[in-house]
Amino acid sequence: MIDLRSDTVTKPTESMRRAAYEAEVGDDVYGEDPTVNRLEEKAAELLGKEKALFVTSGTQGNQIAALTHCRPGDEVIMEASSHIYIYEVGGFSALANVQIRPVPGINGAMNTVDVKNTIRAENIHYPTTSLICIENTHNLAGGAVLPLSHMQEISQLAKENNLQVHLDGARLFNAQVASGISVKEYAKNVDSVQFCLSKGLGAPVGSIIAGTEEFINRARKWRKMLGGGLRQVGMIAAPGLVALEENINRLAEDHAHAKLLADGLANMNGLKVENKVETNIIIVNVKETKHTPETFVEALKSKGVLAGVFGLDTIRFVTHYDVSREDIDKALIAVQEIL
Ligand SMILES: Cc1ncc(COP(=O)(O)O)c(C=O)c1O
């Protein structure tokens, strides 16, 4: 099967499996796992933040950020198709007891004037706006890279209004590779950042959140409360270290494959590629074919290609480590045969 459903499906590489096997470990709740400590130091250094924390998933990282930044009853501004708003099971309200204020965006970026107008004034009736969340790359906007200038504007606005900014950077390294702007440069504009080791970077488990030492000290307690205080966790942190050492620059290959696939699809009658394809995600409208997204995806499956149903008229392909150039050619042939 050529699995183009998501970049979460990657299997750990040989060097990741070896690193897991050979990992030096200790009890991480006591802060004694040397492999986790190395991973957290390396991640903090890459992001230019004081401290980092290894967490079980991107979702857990984002939830911990809300718990650490906000107080119950606060309001959090974010783009209306953010992963946090759409796909995190309502966790911000259920766990952090905050209210999300969604602001529609274009290519994943909110209009900063809209954000400004959404920040609550001091009024007895209003919740307190305490946090703005942004997402880079933006998943539902098709892996769109959030412009650095936009992040700078959001950062400025937040400073002027005494708000914190959290970056859901599940695929922040894809943004770095696509734009040439370092994750450190992006992260300068936010108070906390989450990135996933287990997406395009290919590790089997885990995410990182980073911020000031004081923020991470408090985040560590929330992680414990959520059941994320793990023990000899160097076994799963070791592949994360390998991901950071070996797999960042190769994301360019995934982006090149995505472009090839997108160009091939765009040339086929009845298909429309809906996004600009800046990174590794392709959204394709199938409305003009005889298929619905569901039947299209079923037909692809019968030809050995997996894709995801995305919207009412769209399907999604995501390139990653386990998809080769040859697989892209085969996937294009499969699509052509279906049409
Ligand atoms: C933008 C974004 N944020 C957060 C997550 C959540 O990550 P996890 O699946 O590790 O919980 C995802 C997962 O796809 C994502 O795309």
Side-chain angles (χ1 to χ4, degrees):
M1 277 287 177
I2 299 168
D3 196 343
L4 289 156
R5 288 171 303 166
S6 172
D7 49 10
T8 56
V9 301
T10 51
K11 306 273 189 344
T13 59
E14 275 307 307
S15 51
M16 287 179 182
R17 289 168 192 268
R18 206 173 327 109
Y21 181 75
E22 292 170 356
E24 201 187 343
V25 295
D27 190 328
D28 184 48
V29 174
Y30 294 159
E32 290 174 3
D33 189 301
T35 309
V36 174
N37 293 343
R38 273 209 304 283
L39 173 62
E40 291 178 345
E41 278 159 27
K42 168 123 187 139
E45 186 194 311
L46 279 169
L47 293 164
K49 295 292 181 200
E50 285 174 17
K51 289 275 175 209
L53 185 69
F54 183 53
V55 295
T56 55
S57 65
T59 302
Q60 191 184 61
N62 289 333
Q63 299 304 319
I64 289 173
L67 286 158
T68 311
H69 284 303
C70 306
R71 289 202 294 199
D74 282 357
E75 191 163 77
V76 180
I77 298 171
M78 69 183 73
E79 201 278 323
S81 61
S82 300
H83 191 277
I84 293 172
Y85 185 50
I86 306 287
Y87 291 126
E88 297 193 9
V89 209
F92 267 38
S93 50
L95 302 174
N97 294 294
V98 296
Q99 166 168 300
I100 292 179
R101 188 91 178 271
V103 173
I106 295 175
N107 284 333
M110 297 175 281
N111 179 317
T112 39
V113 176
D114 291 345
V115 176
K116 189 173 182 192
N117 292 336
T118 306
I119 298 169
R120 300 283 191 163
E122 187 49 50
N123 181 307
I124 185 81
H125 302 93
Y126 291 164
T128 303
T129 309
S130 58
L131 181 66
I132 304 174
C133 293
I134 50 182
E135 188 176 312
N136 196 7
T137 63
H138 196 290
N139 184 346
L140 277 185
V145 178
L146 223 54
L148 181 65
S149 56
H150 171 73
M151 291 181 60
Q152 288 164 339
E153 280 170 34
I154 293 286
S155 165
Q156 185 59 30
L157 194 56
K159 280 201 184 85
E160 285 163 13
N161 290 277
N162 208 17
L163 310 180
Q164 303 286 296
V165 182
H166 172 68
L167 170 61
D168 176 357
R171 297 183 180 80
L172 191 61
F173 284 96
N174 292 83
Q176 168 177 295
V177 167
S179 68
I181 296 166
S182 68
V183 291
K184 196 180 273 179
E185 200 55 37
Y186 284 121
K188 261 188 201 162
N189 300 290
V190 300
D191 299 284
S192 61
V193 51
Q194 179 277 120
F195 76 81
C196 292
L197 293 157
S198 61
K199 299 208 160 52
L201 294 179
V205 184
S207 278
I208 291 287
I209 51 171
T212 62
E213 183 166 7
E214 188 269 338
F215 172 84
I216 292 298
N217 287 343
R218 288 189 294 122
R220 193 177 287 280
K221 287 197 95 162
W222 284 115
R223 185 186 70 171
K224 186 77 179 83
M225 194 189 284
L226 294 178
L230 306 176
R231 303 297 176 173
Q232 287 70 34
V233 71
M235 299 288 293
I236 55 171
L241 261 172
V242 173
L244 292 180
E245 280 153 12
E246 297 181 0
N247 285 355
I248 295 174
N249 291 333
R250 66 145 308 283
L251 291 171
E253 207 174 289
D254 300 343
H255 298 177
H257 288 162
K259 283 217 167 62
L260 271 177
L261 184 54
D263 289 347
L265 294 169
N267 281 330
M268 293 184 194
N269 271 345
L271 297 184
K272 185 169 180 290
V273 174
E274 290 213 329
N275 62 320
K276 199 172 142 204
V277 190
E278 294 176 84
T279 56
N280 65 334
I281 300 177
I282 305 151
I283 299 165
V284 185
N285 193 309
V286 298
K287 199 175 172 189
E288 301 296 314
T289 70
K290 61 182 191 300
H291 282 282
T292 63
E294 287 78 10
T295 61
F296 206 110
V297 162
E298 262 319 296
L300 271 174
K301 190 174 175 182
S302 71
K303 292 185 177 295
V305 177
L306 299 178
V309 171
F310 186 72
L312 285 180
D313 297 318
T314 49
I315 64 174
R316 187 182 84 156
F317 298 90
V318 185
T319 57
H320 54 77
Y321 190 90
D322 289 334
V323 174
S324 65
R325 165 72 216 260
E326 203 186 13
D327 291 337
I328 299 293
D329 293 338
K330 285 186 190 155
L332 282 169
I333 291 168
V335 174
Q336 187 69 75
E337 284 171 4
I338 291 165
L339 293 172

